[in-house]
Amino acid sequence: MNQQTTKGTALVTGASSGIGATYAQRLANRGYDLLLVARDQQRLEALAETLSKDTGVKVEVLKADLTDSADLQRVVQRLRSDGAISLLVNNAGVAINGTLAEGDAGKVDTLIQLNIVALTHLSAAAASSFSAAGRGAIINLASVVALIPEMFNAVYSASKAYVLSLTQTLQAEVSSKGVQVQAVLPGVTRTEIWERSGMDASALPPEMIMEVGEMVDAALAGFDQGEGVTIPSLPDAADWQAMVIARTHLGPNLSRNQAAARYK
Ligand code: NAP
């Protein structure tokens, strides 16, 4: 099928598998041209060929290890210089397993470089280009562990809390400039991330595990509805709203010129 594209180009990081590959497929169906970023060039090229054949959109592969500063800078420069890019999906991420005390320092550094440093620089570049253009969107993949840090690895959970926090600040900074920003908080989603990080998702109750297509479709439905934070599995949106209201209630008392009476 040949499709006229008017949506611009979506840059998807971590597009070689799982959630990123599924975003690429869904965005191609929506008429976005694609710029697919990950380390595995062969997988990216196979996906690019299938998607361009199936949908008629233009698909380009950009091989990059986003933990490598030179590679990251190439992607940042592309975001800053390519005016056709209208959507960034900051999806590339790794997980690790085990306690903080027993963790492998090298794996911790890699996680921080990818989940935090790369995502930050790519978000900044997109925010700058899209704000100047007065249009565009940024989708950042956080996780529900941002809200339940006691349940999972400390560094992974903290990295996803960082993504949520950064994304919320970014929303406040750029929404008035015509840029849409969304944080997506998936629960357990069936992808390679589990085996890659040495965990066995099949040991979890099946009712906790979502198929990747359903997760991405729900996240894109939240994006279409203009949600700032999307939790694909949360049955009642009022539960998230209650959390936002509780946080707003704290607001006026979080910084005052006197300590609380109980500390005196
Ligand atoms: P996945 O299937 O393991 O995919 C991860 C992607 O990131 C792959 O395309 C991988 O490609 C890429 N990647 C890994 N290291 C990279 C690097 N150094 N440079 C560039 N790309 C790199 O995992 P997924 O589940 O789809 O995860 C996608 C995002 O969703 C992650 O941010 C993850 O934290 C988040 N998430 C996942 C779940 C879940 O249960 N699956 C839940 C909540 C949030 P290459 O190996 O080709 O580089």
Side-chain angles (χ1 to χ4, degrees):
M1 177 178 62
N2 254 334
Q3 212 164 1
Q4 194 67 36
T5 63
T6 54
K7 297 204 158 174
T9 301
L11 191 165
V12 183
T13 68
S16 62
S17 71
I19 294 169
T22 307
Y23 264 105
Q25 197 258 326
R26 300 304 200 259
L27 294 170
N29 284 344
R30 287 175 173 225
Y32 284 91
D33 291 328
L34 295 172
L35 184 50
L36 305 180
V37 178
R39 294 166 303 177
D40 189 329
Q41 184 153 7
Q42 257 187 336
R43 278 180 106 178
L44 290 177
E45 278 170 359
L47 179 65
E49 196 182 321
T50 306
L51 294 182
S52 56
K53 192 156 59 104
D54 290 352
T55 65
V57 302
K58 279 189 279 171
V59 189
E60 184 186 337
V61 163
L62 183 52
K63 174 182 152 70
D65 178 346
L66 296 172
T67 66
D68 176 275
S69 60
D71 278 12
L72 174 59
Q73 276 318 307
R74 275 195 298 123
V75 184
V76 164
Q77 278 317 317
R78 181 68 186 265
L79 260 171
R80 289 194 183 275
S81 61
D82 184 345
I85 298 174
S86 58
L87 172 62
L88 167 66
V89 184
N90 251 323
N91 163 80
V94 286
I96 49 178
N97 198 4
T99 64
L100 184 61
E102 285 154 15
D104 174 315
K107 285 185 181 166
V108 166
D109 285 354
T110 300
L111 186 152
I112 291 171
Q113 283 299 324
L114 184 62
N115 295 16
I116 295 183
V117 176
L119 178 133
T120 302
H121 289 292
L122 294 171
S123 295
S128 165
S129 300
F130 297 168
S131 295
R135 58 104 189 94
I138 302 170
I139 298 173
N140 285 342
L141 269 290
S143 163
V144 290
V145 298
L147 305 175
I148 43 167
E150 303 83 355
M151 301 280 289
F152 201 67
N153 174 269
V155 182
Y156 181 77
S157 301
S159 78
K160 294 304 180 178
Y162 176 94
V163 174
L164 176 59
S165 173
L166 178 116
T167 307
Q168 289 175 308
T169 308
L170 196 55
Q171 271 157 15
E173 289 177 356
V174 300
S175 60
S176 64
K177 296 174 180 156
V179 183
Q180 184 180 353
V181 184
Q182 180 197 27
V184 177
L185 278 58
V188 179
T189 309
R190 199 183 310 280
T191 70
E192 292 170 21
I193 200 169
W194 294 89
E195 47 185 300
R196 285 192 202 227
S197 54
M199 287 175 280
D200 183 9
S202 63
L204 294 167
E207 61 273 16
M208 281 182 69
I209 308 176
M210 196 178 288
E211 297 304 325
V212 67
E214 182 158 354
M215 199 292 287
V216 172
D217 286 339
L220 282 169
F223 179 78
D224 293 341
Q225 290 164 29
E227 283 186 348
V229 176
T230 296
I231 305 175
S233 70
L234 189 72
D236 190 350
D239 288 343
W240 172 253
Q241 277 315 313
M243 165 113 165
V244 173
I245 289 165
R247 198 178 72 134
T248 310
H249 179 72
L250 283 173
N253 291 317
L254 292 176
S255 180
R256 302 183 65 128
N257 60 359
Q258 285 185 10
R262 68 186 176 286
Y263 299 125
K264 289 183 180 167

